[in-house]
Structures are given as structure tokens and as C-alpha cells.
Amino acid sequence: MQTKSVLIMASIIFIAGLSFAANIRGAKDLVIPAGKQGDVNFTHQKHQEVISDCMFCHDLFPQQPGSIKYMIEKGMLMKKQVMTQQCLQCHKTKKEAGEKAGPVSCSQCHSR
């Protein structure tokens, strides 16, 4: 009987933890270091409003500050991989569908 109570309590804590974690959604805005082209000022919160599934972007890199830069430096991501596989692909798909879309050219995102 005591084991059952412990399991129920653990389940409640786990579910509460998931609910709490779901509300933690990172910084409102981010600056992504992007080499010679200049950094990218990324409106993280705006993207979250449009894309509700964090894993849509974060399947390539973890939800940690500096993870893209770290993974590129360690050879775990190729330069421009996130931009071409995630950003541009999504923006172009939305544009082709006639939906409001983000930039599709380099200079629209990169600061010099």
C-alpha cells in the first residue's frame, strides 16, 4: 500500500513538473552569433507564438543558450545547417502557402 502511495505522489510531482517546464520558454529575444555575415537578432517569443511545438526547431539543437555555436564548434552541426534546414525552409513554405512569412534573404536577418 505504501508503494502505491509513493507511485501516485511521484506521478503527481512528475505531471506538475511537466506543466511547469512547458511554461518556461526561454528568452524573449536572442542574438545568434553568425560569423562574418553578422549576428542574427532572433525574436524567440514571436516564433513561439507561430510555432507551438518547440521541437520543430529544437530537433537539431538543445534548448540551451549558446547551443548552436557550441555544436558548430564541436562539429555536431554544419555552418548554416539550422538556417537552411529550419529557418529558410519554414519561411519559404509559409510564403509559398500565401501565409505571413519571415525573411528569405541573408541580409534580412544578419546584421553587418
Side-chain angles (χ1 to χ4, degrees):
M1 189 65 163
Q2 186 178 3
T3 303
K4 186 176 180 180
S5 296
V6 170
L7 288 174
I8 290 171
M9 186 59 107
S11 297
I12 291 169
I13 291 169
F14 178 73
I15 291 168
L18 287 177
S19 175
F20 178 74
N23 292 324
I24 299 173
R25 300 183 51 116
K28 180 180 175 183
D29 297 305
L30 304 169
V31 176
I32 302 171
K36 294 177 185 175
Q37 291 293 327
D39 295 344
V40 172
N41 294 310
F42 181 74
T43 55
H44 192 235
Q45 183 176 6
K46 185 175 181 180
H47 282 80
Q48 290 174 352
E49 292 168 3
V50 175
I51 306 166
S52 60
D53 180 9
C54 296
M55 293 312 293
F56 185 83
C57 297
H58 286 283
D59 66 332
L60 287 177
F61 57 96
Q63 296 170 314
Q64 298 293 324
S67 62
I68 294 173
K69 182 178 179 182
Y70 174 82
M71 290 180 73
I72 288 171
E73 288 172 354
K74 296 296 179 187
M76 301 162 73
L77 277 176
M78 300 300 296
K79 290 181 180 179
K80 302 182 184 180
Q81 183 177 351
V82 173
M83 184 259 313
T84 57
Q85 289 183 8
Q86 303 297 98
C87 308
L88 285 177
Q89 186 62 38
C90 182
H91 291 182
K92 287 178 180 179
T93 300
K94 287 189 168 292
K95 186 175 181 177
E96 290 168 2
E99 299 176 27
K100 186 176 180 180
V104 293
S105 73
C106 301
S107 63
Q108 291 176 304
C109 291
H110 290 273
S111 61
R112 291 184 186 231

